[in-house]
Amino acid sequence: AMIWPWAKTAAQSGGIAAAADVTTQWFLSKGNVPEIGSPQAAVSTNLDLRRSASIGAFGFFYSGGLQRLLYQKFDTSFGTQATMQVVAKKVAADSFLHAPFLYVLAFYMVTGLLQGKSLDEAFGRLSAMYKDTVATYLMIWPAAMFGLFWAVPEARRTVTLACLAFGEKAVYSMMELNRQNTSEIVVSVDVRIDEVQKFAALAVNSVPSEKEALASGGFQEGLILIS
């Protein structure tokens, strides 16, 4: 009986997190959505559903489980009173301890591994996104967390947090997808430059040197004289 309420709110948290990523991918598909009624309309867009599922799983287990336990620990440590002093301590603990040293690390490592990345690849993804993600968290969450700890009962925190996190997950997804698109452009440009350099080298090597030109000219003159 005690497990069901937790599982229910965790499932809601995971579903909302996955929906945020799917929505972001859809809006960043750069207009490649076919018109209604066209032959391609029934074909789904190129969504990375495994990525969305990994974020949903993170929302279920972390946001719906570990994070809820952590916030209950905040209640035990700092109190449950809706006072400025108590709420400020919880917001500070969340912003400067939980977020940079647990939440962001867990988010990129767990979702990366669930997406099939190696440990090194997941850590590289974390390293690339860590600074911007923490900065974004500190811009988005302190005011929202103040309201959460001030006015929302513990039993409703997880779903309320998930609804607020819809925008957060969308921002994180947008940041990462934009970074991936930028990396793909850079790689494409590097490949093109490499191809141009190889073509130029081939063209230079195919041009005869001065000695070769003279030798070829002398040989042709000799042929003319003989004939």
Side-chain angles (χ1 to χ4, degrees), residues 79-186:
T80 57
Q81 301 89 345
T83 63
M84 182 70 70
Q85 184 178 9
V86 169
V87 174
K89 289 179 180 179
K90 293 179 182 179
V91 173
D94 180 72
S95 301
F96 302 112
L97 294 176
H98 168 234
F101 298 113
L102 183 58
Y103 175 74
V104 175
L105 302 179
F107 177 76
Y108 284 112
M109 292 302 295
V110 171
T111 57
L113 294 173
L114 289 176
Q115 291 170 31
K117 301 180 186 297
S118 68
L119 192 61
D120 288 340
E121 289 172 338
F123 184 77
R125 176 175 174 247
L126 167 64
S127 299
M129 299 299 301
Y130 179 80
K131 184 177 179 181
D132 289 342
T133 303
V134 172
T136 302
Y137 189 101
L138 293 177
M139 288 189 293
I140 293 175
W141 279 110
M145 295 306 296
F146 193 94
L148 186 79
F149 290 128
W150 182 280
V152 180
E154 194 283 326
R156 297 182 180 179
R157 276 184 197 163
T158 301
V159 175
T160 304
L161 189 65
C163 292
L164 294 172
F166 185 98
E168 178 214 26
K169 294 298 186 297
V171 170
Y172 293 166
S173 297
M174 189 177 300
M175 288 166 53
E176 186 171 11
L177 290 170
N178 285 335
R179 181 181 288 271
Q180 289 176 355
N181 291 337
T182 302
S183 299
E184 289 173 1
I185 293 172
V186 171

Side-chain angles (χ1 to χ4, degrees), residues 19 197 206:
Q197 290 175 339
S206 65

Side-chain angles (χ1 to χ4, degrees), residues 20-76:
D21 185 70
V22 170
T23 303
T24 304
Q25 289 190 55
W26 189 85
F27 276 111
L28 291 180
S29 59
K30 298 181 179 179
N32 294 326
V33 181
E35 295 181 0
I36 297 175
S38 66
Q40 295 81 14
V43 181
S44 63
T45 56
N46 295 323
L47 297 177
D48 187 349
L49 296 181
R50 183 172 184 178
R51 168 193 166 87
S52 299
S54 72
I55 293 178
F58 181 83
F60 181 91
F61 290 105
Y62 186 92
S63 302
L66 180 61
Q67 191 170 8
R68 184 174 181 180
L69 289 172
L70 179 64
Y71 288 169
Q72 286 182 343
K73 183 65 176 177
F74 284 3
D75 291 339
T76 303

